[in-house]
Amino acid sequence: MTSVKSARINNLASNLQAIINKSKKVRGIEDLLSNANDSGPSKQDENLMSWMTTEGYAKAPDCIMILAHGAGAPMDSTFMEALADSLDREGIACVRFEFPYMIKRRADGRKRPPDRAPVLLDAFREAVAKVRSEQGQGCKLLVGGKSMGGRMASLLASEDIGGIDGVACYGYPFHPPGKMDRWRIDHFETLQCPLLVIQGTRDPFGKPAEIASVGAISGLTRLIWLEGGNHDFQPLKKQPETQVQLIARAASETRRFVEECLLDR
């Protein structure tokens, strides 16, 4: 009986330690939650940035990606966790951060629409500056993200801010679903670096026939299609591949893009 109880205690301790270790990857959230009150976050709270890094970030990587979340889910969603881990296994260390509106949601649990583009871009610029200050200029730095996060990454890279070597977008919102008159690609031609887009063939924000209808897209370096994937790279049930496998393929295609389009520059 004593040995059984001891085993249970050891198992509980291991689980608690795993939770603690994971929580150490998030910077800023604890302070934000402790400062939250009934009147909502203060101006200082709004400026705090949640921050997560993969294991490779501390190992002098040759390539780092700042990976931004989409409009509706935070930086630690299932998709973002799987993508960041897959990229890290491919030798691309990842940094994740949250935009101001998502930091507020984490503080008080209230859903909000995304901030306007200038606010989102300011947060992204801060992330780029922070990574460069921590890692220097010796590594290749990509900016990227899921859906809206990828769009903001591409907008940022179309500015002449320096320090960005490439862009990777996962489920790019080429247009709102069903609104083919509202394309979001005009800024691609002013990009200062190579651009990769990885898209599911069932993504309502841009399907193969729709993309083909606009012809060659200036500034788009490489477009990879994931067969059967939706906006979250979820395949059809009849397909042999799983969502995890499609995400892993997205990561491997990103590594190939880095080697062929960035490391030789």
Side-chain angles (χ1 to χ4, degrees):
M1 183 67 70
T2 301
S3 62
V4 172
K5 182 180 291 187
S6 177
R8 287 178 178 174
I9 291 173
N10 290 336
N11 185 51
L12 178 59
S14 297
N15 291 338
L16 287 173
Q17 188 60 51
I19 293 171
I20 292 170
N21 290 340
K22 184 173 182 179
S23 71
K24 288 180 179 178
K25 296 163 67 179
V26 183
R27 307 175 190 172
I29 293 176
E30 233 176 52
D31 290 339
L32 184 61
L33 291 175
S34 65
N35 290 332
N37 53 49
D38 293 340
S39 61
S42 67
K43 190 65 178 178
Q44 182 180 4
D45 294 334
E46 293 176 9
N47 292 329
L48 288 174
M49 182 186 297
S50 301
W51 192 259
M52 295 181 74
T53 61
T54 54
E55 291 183 4
Y57 187 76
K59 300 177 181 178
D62 64 356
C63 184
I64 296 172
M65 181 183 297
I66 302 175
L67 187 65
H69 60 79
M75 66 178 178
D76 56 355
S77 68
T78 301
F79 179 93
M80 292 288 286
E81 289 277 6
L83 180 57
D85 288 346
S86 294
L87 288 167
D88 199 60
R89 285 194 293 272
E90 293 288 343
I92 302 173
C94 282
V95 171
R96 283 172 281 165
F97 70 98
E98 287 185 334
F99 294 114
Y101 78 96
M102 192 61 72
I103 293 178
K104 293 176 185 176
R105 181 205 285 192
R106 193 180 289 275
D108 61 19
R110 291 169 49 201
K111 288 191 175 182
R112 295 172 170 82
D115 303 298
R116 293 189 179 277
V119 176
L120 300 176
L121 291 172
D122 281 346
F124 226 136
R125 289 188 195 95
E126 289 180 24
V128 170
K130 184 173 177 64
V131 169
R132 281 304 187 193
S133 70
E134 292 181 350
Q135 297 285 345
Q137 302 295 321
C139 62
K140 295 294 184 181
L141 178 62
L142 291 90
V143 292
K146 169 77 167 68
S147 193
M148 180 197 75
R151 184 187 177 202
M152 290 303 112
S154 64
L155 284 167
L156 184 66
S158 69
E159 303 175 357
D160 189 17
I161 69 167
I164 296 174
D165 298 298
V167 184
C169 302
Y170 305 94
Y172 186 82
F174 284 96
H175 57 73
K179 298 181 179 179
M180 298 287 293
D181 58 334
R182 292 174 56 187
W183 286 85
R184 298 160 170 164
I185 57 176
D186 288 347
H187 64 285
F188 282 6
E189 62 184 7
T190 60
L191 282 166
Q192 307 294 310
C193 56
L195 167 65
L196 167 71
V197 173
I198 300 182
Q199 198 87 350
T201 57
R202 295 191 298 124
D203 194 330
F205 289 86
K207 298 178 181 179
E210 296 169 350
I211 307 305
S213 70
V214 300
I217 300 176
S218 177
L220 177 54
T221 308
R222 183 171 296 181
L223 174 60
I224 300 294
W225 291 103
L226 300 180
E227 184 62 39
N230 65 7
H231 195 52
D232 296 318
F233 298 169
Q234 183 71 49
L236 293 165
K237 289 183 178 180
K238 65 182 180 181
Q239 288 183 229
E241 301 90 353
T242 64
Q243 182 188 32
V244 170
Q245 289 173 319
L246 289 187
I247 290 174
R249 188 192 159 202
S252 67
E253 290 288 354
T254 305
R255 183 68 210 186
R256 187 159 69 95
F257 168 75
V258 168
E259 293 176 349
E260 295 177 358
C261 301
L262 302 188
L263 293 183
D264 292 336
R265 292 181 76 202

